Amino acid sequence: MVSTLFFPANMSLFGSTSGFGTGGTSMFGSTTTDNHNPMKDIEVTSSPDDSIGCLSFSPPTLPGNFLIAGSWANDVRCWEVQDSGQTIPKAQQMHTGPVLDVCWSDDGSKVFTASCDKTAKMWDLNSNQAIQIAQHDAPVKTIHWIKAPNYSCVMTGSWDKTLKFWDTRSSNPMMVLQLPERCYCADVIYPMAVVATAERGLIVYQLENQPSEFRRIESPLKHQHRCVAIFKDKQNKPTGFALGSIEGRVAIHYINPPNPAKDNFTFKCHRSNGTNTSAPQDIYAVNGIAFHPVHGTLATVGSDGRFSFWDKDARTKLKTSEQLDQPIAACCFNHNGNIFAYASSYDWSKGHEFYNPQKKNYIFLRNAAEELKPRNKK
């Protein structure tokens, strides 16, 4: 991969004693309590200069681990994550508006980026060139690579209320599907896609032969949809999804369960002072959901500045983090589930009054191999 120098040459890397690229003004050596990293996880070097909206790790086809992040500074950055935890900035590309979503091609040679500038781009990491591959009439909120036996394409979901499919070689989409409302979040695991929209719309698509609507689902949640992630069954086939809302709640929904009333459920999360008290609660948005690629357990991150790990089959919480000093806006696992990445950024959940431009944005890496093991392996 070609490296463009978007990071200062003297940037201190993980493990050094200098003040993490700040030339000694760092909090590390001072006596003030600093809770920007209460879990003492590894900080990614040269993190973006504005809120981080999306994270994605490279697929298993690529040797090593590469992390992509998109931000409200209109940029997309790529790091190599070494086994030691050291992160090496590799390259970056720009949009002309905030980057809302990123994904990888299945062979790891391309990264696809979706932006408020109403376009999506394809970034060829080998040549370090990025070209526009998609166009909408409003910001592009989601982007996913679809690899089917008979076709491959990029799926983009937009606030223009369309879902479009692009073969990356043509300026016209292969297919356009109308959505009932603005696309807020989506996920793809072939042969299934799920899209959640404004006004609590929820649509499942089947992707075999060509994409088509499979089913519209009445939302199991009463508040605005914020994030969605598909999960697989024991045979490694997509079988349902987890949907998060702004009201500190996640729904686990199976597509064809034996007993819908029993198998589908919701649980509260990202709320202050526990979920079982009668005292008034602060309730926060669920900003991201990610399933562990080996164990099938899941992580959620929220505006409360915490991440939690859950076992949906045992219906138990495995762990909750200490509280960071700002929201966690996005998360993802690497391909083998050993690394959990999460981004600490203001998510504007409390409006502009709580925005502090002096506050840095961070991406943290945590060893996730043990903590996400199910409670009792069946």
Side-chain angles (χ1 to χ4, degrees):
M1 285 165 63
V2 178
S3 160
T4 56
L5 294 174
F6 68 79
F7 53 103
N10 62 350
M11 177 61 73
S12 62
L13 287 169
F14 172 70
S16 71
T17 51
S18 78
F20 203 70
T22 54
T25 53
S26 145
M27 296 283 227
F28 289 154
S30 69
T31 50
T32 54
T33 55
D34 174 18
N35 59 345
H36 83 278
N37 183 11
M39 302 304 288
K40 305 195 169 29
D41 288 328
I42 293 172
E43 295 183 6
V44 171
T45 56
S46 308
S47 58
D49 300 322
D50 204 341
S51 293
I52 299 153
C54 46
L55 296 171
S56 184
F57 267 112
S58 52
T61 44
L62 214 55
N65 289 288
F66 294 87
L67 179 64
I68 298 282
S71 88
W72 283 72
N74 304 355
D75 63 348
V76 191
R77 297 188 179 193
C78 176
W79 296 262
E80 182 178 1
V81 180
Q82 297 184 320
D83 292 343
S84 63
Q86 186 164 302
T87 50
I88 303 164
K90 298 299 275 190
Q92 80 166 357
Q93 287 289 342
M94 299 297 296
H95 272 269
T96 56
V99 178
L100 301 182
D101 201 13
V102 291
C103 72
W104 290 77
S105 63
D106 63 295
D107 66 359
S109 69
K110 313 273 193 308
V111 165
F112 302 98
T113 56
S115 171
C116 285
D117 65 16
K118 307 179 189 176
T119 73
K121 290 184 176 182
M122 177 171 70
W123 179 10
D124 184 318
L125 295 172
N126 297 314
S127 66
N128 198 29
Q129 299 298 306
I131 57 166
Q132 181 181 332
I133 55 150
Q135 180 75 47
H136 280 268
D137 298 328
V140 187
K141 182 64 172 67
T142 66
I143 192 158
H144 292 84
W145 173 253
I146 297 173
K147 175 73 171 161
N150 62 321
Y151 71 95
S152 51
C153 70
V154 172
M155 179 184 94
T156 53
S158 168
W159 295 342
D160 68 8
K161 305 184 186 180
T162 64
L163 198 59
K164 295 185 180 182
F165 300 84
W166 311 84
D167 84 345
T168 74
R169 296 181 298 263
S170 164
S171 56
N172 294 317
M174 298 159 48
M175 180 182 283
V176 179
L177 297 173
Q178 296 300 316
L179 295 171
E181 251 296 349
R182 288 153 291 168
C183 175
Y184 276 176
C185 50
D187 196 19
V188 168
I189 294 181
Y190 184 84
M192 174 177 157
V194 60
V195 175
T197 71
E199 303 298 334
R200 298 170 43 248
L202 199 51
I203 308 175
V204 176
Y205 297 87
Q206 74 77 34
L207 304 174
E208 284 180 80
N209 297 320
Q210 64 171 25
S212 64
E213 190 172 312
F214 175 72
R215 183 185 297 164
R216 296 200 178 198
I217 296 172
E218 187 177 343
S219 179
L221 300 175
K222 295 186 171 66
H223 294 265
Q224 184 185 98
H225 296 159
R226 185 100 175 105
C227 51
V228 68
I230 294 173
F231 59 81
K232 302 179 191 177
D233 60 18
K234 299 280 186 280
Q235 285 72 48
N236 217 30
K237 299 271 194 299
T239 188
F241 57 84
L243 177 69
S245 78
I246 60 166
E247 187 245 351
R249 197 184 291 268
V250 167
I252 300 293
H253 192 93
Y254 290 84
I255 301 300
N256 291 313
N259 186 342
K262 196 157 125 299
D263 299 336
N264 295 334
F265 64 99
T266 70
F267 62 91
K268 298 173 188 171
C269 49
H270 302 288
R271 298 175 176 217
S272 66
N273 61 34
T275 51
N276 298 322
T277 64
S278 53
Q281 280 186 319
D282 293 325
I283 297 177
Y284 297 89
V286 184
N287 288 330
I289 301 173
F291 280 91
H292 193 279
V294 176
H295 301 311
T297 49
L298 66 147
T300 61
V301 299
S303 295
D304 58 340
R306 296 181 194 269
F307 62 79
S308 293
F309 300 153
W310 312 84
D311 180 338
K312 71 169 172 52
D313 300 325
R315 300 195 185 187
T316 54
K317 184 195 283 184
L318 302 172
K319 182 185 185 71
T320 292
S321 73
E322 300 296 316
Q323 189 168 28
L324 279 68
D325 63 0
Q326 56 184 346
I328 303 179
C331 69
C332 68
F333 290 103
N334 77 322
H335 66 87
N336 63 10
N338 285 344
I339 310 171
F340 175 65
Y342 60 102
S344 161
S345 282
Y346 186 51
D347 57 4
W348 298 81
S349 55
K350 293 185 172 182
H352 67 91
E353 304 89 347
F354 286 81
Y355 173 59
N356 174 2
Q358 263 62 60
K359 211 153 186 42
K360 278 188 66 176
N361 302 279
Y362 295 95
I363 302 169
F364 297 111
L365 304 177
R366 183 173 186 82
N367 184 325
E370 290 300 315
E371 292 176 335
L372 279 112
K373 283 187 173 159
R375 261 302 140 75
N376 35 16
K377 228 10 184 185
K378 289 187 179 60

